[in-house]
Amino acid sequence: MVDEIIAKSHPQKTLKEHIEDVLNAFEDLKRLGGKLGIQLEDKDWEILRKPCFYHDFGKANSAFQKKIRGSESHGGSEIPHNFLSLLFIEDDDELLLKMVAFHHWRNFPDLKDDKIINEIYSDVQNYIEKLSTYFNRAFTLVKRGIFRKNVEILRKYYSRRIDGVFDLEKESKFVILLGLLNRIDHSASAGVLVESEPIDKYGKTENFLLTKTKQPWQLVEISDELKNKSGIVLASTGMGKTEMALLWSDRQKTFYTLPVRTSVTAMYERMAKLFGKDNVGLLHSGALSDLLFEWENTSTDDAFYHYEMAKDLSYPLIVSTADQVFTATLKYFGFEKIYATLSYSKVVVDEIQAYSPETMAVITHGLGEISKIGGKFLVVTATLPSFLKDRLEEYSEFCITKVPKLKKHKIKLVDEPLSGNTLKNFITSIRKDRVKKILVVCNTVKRSQELYDSLKEFSPLLLHSRFVRMDRASKEDKVLREDFEGILISTQVIEVSLDIDFDVLITELAPLDVLIQRMGRVYRRFKTDGEFYPSGPNVYIFTRDVSGLGNVYEKEIVEKTKSLLKDSVLSEEQKVKMVEDFYSEKNLKETSYWTKFSNALGLIENFSVDKKSEAQRIFRGISQIEVIPESLLEREVQNLKILNELNLNKAPLKDIIERIKVKDKKEKIFVMELIKDFMVPIPLYRTRMNSLVSLSGYIDNDALKELLANVKVVNYEYDYNVGLILSGVEDSADARIID
């Protein structure tokens, strides 16, 4: 008899053990199905159980068994196991066949040659006895003709998908069942729950609100009827939109999405305190790092488990960047896992107006599809363009507006460039009025660096996206301290990421909604009805020689904004009305902003990509790459938690990486997290101006050669106070981005 049939390598598990794990996960999901609101009938659950059993039988072949055991020359058939699993399925149900064949999306093998078919059958036949012993039942392989016929049917379907032919309405059952199969399989492989018990978000949020005020407006507005509908909540900054969303989400599984990673992590920490960290997941591209280092008292194993639970969508509440959810709208192979989960979930989209017009189009289309498959959504925002509201109302059933009769911003237009020479006297004058905290916001990184250099005598703090992770975190910690006073110079990263409150805003002219977001960082502490603005202006908008026109913000939008503004006091109600009117279809019709939105909305209907990474690139509008400034290779590693895990002492990054002897996947992840501390984004076009060199060219470590080859080093200057220094023309960094 053949040796044990191995299905998984880390940790090693036999096929019998893995399938038992998968079937147990299936039973767990079925048990929770009613509580979660999964809309499957008994016959659907039975259909789902079959591929849970058969999906990995194709691993019973010599080539796979040699490969998983680490044989360098495994030889034999290279047919992917998901296709070989079809050899064991006599059922001609096309839905079942598709689920087994496409639980991995891989290129179709050439199975037309009789010799290849005979070799496959002869090889797999050797494993039948072991399989029969594993599962205490007899197995036979389907006839060759049936196998070929089934493969041909599936090949035609695969070809249509490659060509972008996909009808969600017709294929919703397949999408949901395949997605659930993948959820079950992935969670069983990772050793985590496929789903958690629902939590009472309404009850805990209600108790929290009642500690703040006797009559929370959210409790007045919400009702059981609204909880079962999709809708919009339009409320001013600080009014409690988040709490309204949590009341609405009630006991149902929920995804809470925001535009940037820093705001996602801050929201996650807030919700983990309210509901317990064992009930809340964190999901974005840097989530593992945040989990490892945000909780000083959390073990590494706990952080990894928490990360796997979030990655497998297993928590009842998941806080994430929008790309983790809405890239599925682009129908990459494997999107079914997201859509299956969304079919019984609620999705909250916070600050939708902060995205680029193309990204807003993807999200808008995605919300429509979520509605079609049974999910619900809630858009919560301080300002909502009317053209967007018009489209969302096609799928939403209610709109709640909560804007106080509050006046706290007095604006002054300054017909000058935002430059150091102008600001020196300006800031000196403002400080005479005992202003302690001044926020200066620029449209580009370059302009912010120029201002910092000109204002050094005031000891300002500079914050933008081109600091390495550890430096940016250090600066954010300083800004968030209650005793912080002085001048912060920043870019758009400040708009939706940090919960900060300044006395005065000095900003370059920008689109109307962007300016209002920036104003939200001034007098944030005032939230109820009243007039709190000082006798003089507390918002200064510099309107000449504006940076970033054309490559950060659409020139037409900025010019239209300038024509609309005047010296005045702006109430919260006026701000909402101004954005609605300004971003009407009529007003935007001839702008590139509108063209980008409408074109993207038109294309997305029949658009698909092969890989999730490509979908994320499109969704984020990625135009930059992360690199390590060469000078930082000699900078000392400060990440004590990882150094302790690797049994290493503090040393320069280059020396640390050379010493590491990688033993397993976890250590490789640790190494990558150390490297990420030293990485900073640069525009892609800069790679043509300054060649990139692989990190493997600087560090001699054969165990990490492949990993280091994908990390690029650049010789641009870097400074803790200023960040990465790029000479030449201005760039588009920090513009309406997902960070």
Side-chain angles (χ1 to χ4, degrees), residues 421-447:
N421 290 334
T422 305
L423 278 186
K424 285 181 182 179
N425 294 332
F426 211 81
I427 289 174
T428 301
S429 175
I430 291 173
R431 281 184 157 179
K432 289 179 181 178
D433 295 329
R434 297 183 180 179
V435 171
K436 295 181 179 180
K437 298 174 70 174
I438 301 172
L439 174 62
V440 181
V441 185
C442 306
N443 294 344
T444 62
V445 174
K446 184 182 178 186
R447 180 63 60 89

Side-chain angles (χ1 to χ4, degrees), residues 84-249:
L84 294 183
S85 295
L86 300 173
L87 293 168
F88 296 87
I89 301 176
E90 297 180 12
D91 197 321
D92 63 355
D93 184 346
E94 186 174 329
L95 181 58
L96 171 60
L97 295 170
K98 284 163 63 177
M99 290 169 66
V100 172
F102 301 127
H103 80 279
H104 295 294
W105 288 94
R106 290 168 174 155
N107 290 333
F108 263 80
D110 183 3
L111 297 174
K112 295 177 182 178
D113 192 328
D114 286 340
K115 183 180 178 182
I116 294 176
I117 294 291
N118 290 335
E119 288 177 353
I120 291 171
Y121 270 74
S122 177
D123 180 48
V124 175
Q125 187 66 46
N126 295 327
Y127 294 86
I128 294 292
E129 185 178 349
K130 176 64 76 173
L131 290 170
S132 298
T133 302
Y134 275 171
F135 301 105
N136 194 29
R137 56 185 285 189
F139 292 99
T140 58
L141 302 182
V142 300
K143 294 180 180 180
R144 287 166 171 75
I146 294 175
F147 176 63
R148 277 181 159 151
K149 182 190 76 173
N150 290 340
V151 168
E152 188 57 31
I153 291 171
L154 296 169
R155 186 196 301 277
K156 290 178 180 177
Y157 177 79
Y158 179 78
S159 297
R160 292 196 299 272
R161 281 294 307 274
I162 287 286
D163 292 337
V165 179
F166 183 81
D167 188 326
L168 180 62
E169 190 171 345
K170 289 182 179 178
E171 304 219 39
S172 60
K173 177 66 69 70
F174 168 59
V175 167
I176 290 171
L177 289 177
L178 177 60
L180 292 178
L181 170 64
N182 285 334
R183 289 281 316 282
I184 291 165
D185 185 22
H186 295 169
S187 64
S189 297
V192 300
L193 299 173
V194 64
E195 277 290 1
S196 303
E197 290 277 350
I199 58 173
D200 182 12
K201 298 191 291 298
Y202 185 98
K204 293 206 171 188
T205 305
E206 179 184 30
N207 291 338
F208 170 77
L209 287 171
L210 291 173
T211 64
K212 302 294 182 182
T213 180
K214 292 181 180 179
Q215 290 185 311
W217 68 268
Q218 298 94 332
L219 294 177
V220 175
E221 295 284 357
I222 196 66
S223 67
D224 289 339
E225 183 183 4
L226 291 189
K227 291 179 195 175
N228 295 314
K229 295 179 178 179
S230 294
I232 300 167
V233 173
L234 184 59
S236 299
T237 301
M239 288 300 295
K241 299 186 296 292
T242 299
E243 286 73 21
M244 183 65 186
L246 294 172
L247 292 171
W248 168 81
S249 65

Side-chain angles (χ1 to χ4, degrees), residues 495-514:
E495 290 167 17
V496 291
S497 56
L498 301 180
D499 187 6
I500 55 175
D501 190 3
F502 282 75
D503 301 319
V504 170
L505 168 67
I506 299 171
T507 176
E508 286 191 280
L509 180 66
L512 181 63
D513 62 309
V514 173

Side-chain angles (χ1 to χ4, degrees), residues 208-209 212-213 216-218 233-244 256 258 267 270 350-351 353 380-383 402-404 406 408-409 495-496 498-501 516-517 519-529 532 572 575-576:
F208 170 77
L209 287 171
K212 302 294 182 182
T213 180
W217 68 268
Q218 298 94 332
V233 173
L234 184 59
S236 299
T237 301
M239 288 300 295
K241 299 186 296 292
T242 299
E243 286 73 21
M244 183 65 186
Y256 197 108
L258 297 116
M267 184 66 75
R270 178 177 164 188
D350 199 339
E351 302 298 353
Q353 85 292 335
V380 294
T381 182
T383 58
K402 188 64 178 178
V403 181
L406 177 63
K408 58 183 179 180
H409 296 131
E495 290 167 17
V496 291
L498 301 180
D499 187 6
I500 55 175
D501 190 3
I516 290 174
Q517 282 291 120
M519 290 180 207
R521 269 49 195 158
V522 174
Y523 274 28
R524 193 176 178 87
R525 53 197 176 273
F526 299 119
K527 301 174 183 178
T528 56
D529 292 350
F532 302 99
E572 298 304 294
K575 291 177 189 174
V576 171

Side-chain angles (χ1 to χ4, degrees), residues 9 50 68 88 119 146 158 161 253 278 324 362 375 406 423 477 479 497 529 559 610 655 683 695 727 733:
S9 56
K50 291 179 181 179
I68 202 168
F88 296 87
E119 288 177 353
I146 294 175
Y158 179 78
R161 281 294 307 274
K253 186 181 184 75
D278 292 333
Q324 300 292 331
V362 175
L406 177 63
L423 278 186
D477 287 344
V479 174
S497 56
D529 292 350
E559 289 175 347
D610 292 350
D655 295 346
L695 185 55
S727 59

Side-chain angles (χ1 to χ4, degrees), residues 217-460:
W217 68 268
Q218 298 94 332
L219 294 177
V220 175
E221 295 284 357
I222 196 66
S223 67
D224 289 339
E225 183 183 4
L226 291 189
K227 291 179 195 175
N228 295 314
K229 295 179 178 179
S230 294
I232 300 167
V233 173
L234 184 59
S236 299
T237 301
M239 288 300 295
K241 299 186 296 292
T242 299
E243 286 73 21
M244 183 65 186
L246 294 172
L247 292 171
W248 168 81
S249 65
D250 202 14
R251 291 179 175 272
Q252 205 161 344
K253 186 181 184 75
T254 302
F255 292 84
Y256 197 108
T257 69
L258 297 116
V260 297
R261 284 182 301 194
T262 46
S263 54
V264 168
T265 300
M267 184 66 75
Y268 161 75
E269 292 171 351
R270 178 177 164 188
M271 292 188 179
K273 288 178 182 177
L274 185 58
F275 303 113
K277 67 181 182 182
D278 292 333
N279 292 314
V280 186
L282 175 66
L283 198 58
H284 60 62
S285 58
L288 179 57
S289 176
D290 286 350
L291 292 171
L292 283 168
F293 312 122
E294 290 298 325
W295 300 340
E296 292 300 325
N297 298 322
T298 301
S299 72
T300 303
D301 286 341
D302 284 347
F304 268 85
Y305 181 82
H306 195 90
Y307 174 69
E308 290 293 341
M309 282 281 286
K311 193 172 72 171
D312 285 311
L313 315 179
S314 302
Y315 282 111
L317 174 57
I318 296 174
V319 189
S320 75
T321 45
D323 65 308
Q324 300 292 331
V325 174
F326 290 101
T327 47
T329 305
L330 300 177
K331 308 299 188 299
Y332 59 82
F333 289 138
F335 86 96
E336 299 88 356
K337 181 176 178 179
I338 296 288
Y339 266 40
T341 311
L342 295 178
S343 71
Y344 58 90
S345 300
K346 288 181 173 179
V347 180
V348 178
V349 182
D350 199 339
E351 302 298 353
I352 191 172
Q353 85 292 335
Y355 299 95
S356 70
E358 297 95 334
T359 302
M360 276 195 281
V362 175
I363 293 175
T364 303
H365 182 75
L367 293 176
E369 294 207 321
I370 290 170
S371 299
K372 290 176 183 176
I373 59 176
K376 303 294 181 185
F377 70 81
L378 187 70
V379 173
V380 294
T381 182
T383 58
L384 186 63
S386 59
F387 78 88
L388 201 55
K389 185 178 180 183
D390 292 343
R391 279 155 183 79
L392 292 174
E393 285 178 343
E394 294 178 24
Y395 316 112
S396 60
E397 299 172 83
F398 69 89
C399 181
I400 295 171
T401 300
K402 188 64 178 178
V403 181
K405 293 181 175 61
L406 177 63
K407 295 178 181 179
K408 58 183 179 180
H409 296 131
K410 188 172 186 177
I411 70 171
K412 172 72 175 176
L413 302 183
V414 182
D415 187 26
E416 294 186 45
L418 186 58
S419 66
N421 290 334
T422 305
L423 278 186
K424 285 181 182 179
N425 294 332
F426 211 81
I427 289 174
T428 301
S429 175
I430 291 173
R431 281 184 157 179
K432 289 179 181 178
D433 295 329
R434 297 183 180 179
V435 171
K436 295 181 179 180
K437 298 174 70 174
I438 301 172
L439 174 62
V440 181
V441 185
C442 306
N443 294 344
T444 62
V445 174
K446 184 182 178 186
R447 180 63 60 89
S448 71
Q449 290 173 327
E450 290 170 348
L451 283 183
Y452 174 83
D453 191 53
S454 300
L455 299 176
K456 281 184 179 178
E457 63 191 81
F458 294 102
S459 301

Side-chain angles (χ1 to χ4, degrees), residues 292-293 639-647 670 673-674:
L292 283 168
F293 312 122
N639 206 321
L640 294 178
K641 197 162 187 179
I642 285 185
L643 290 177
N644 290 337
E645 290 288 342
L646 297 171
N647 294 315
F670 283 146
E673 289 302 321
L674 277 185

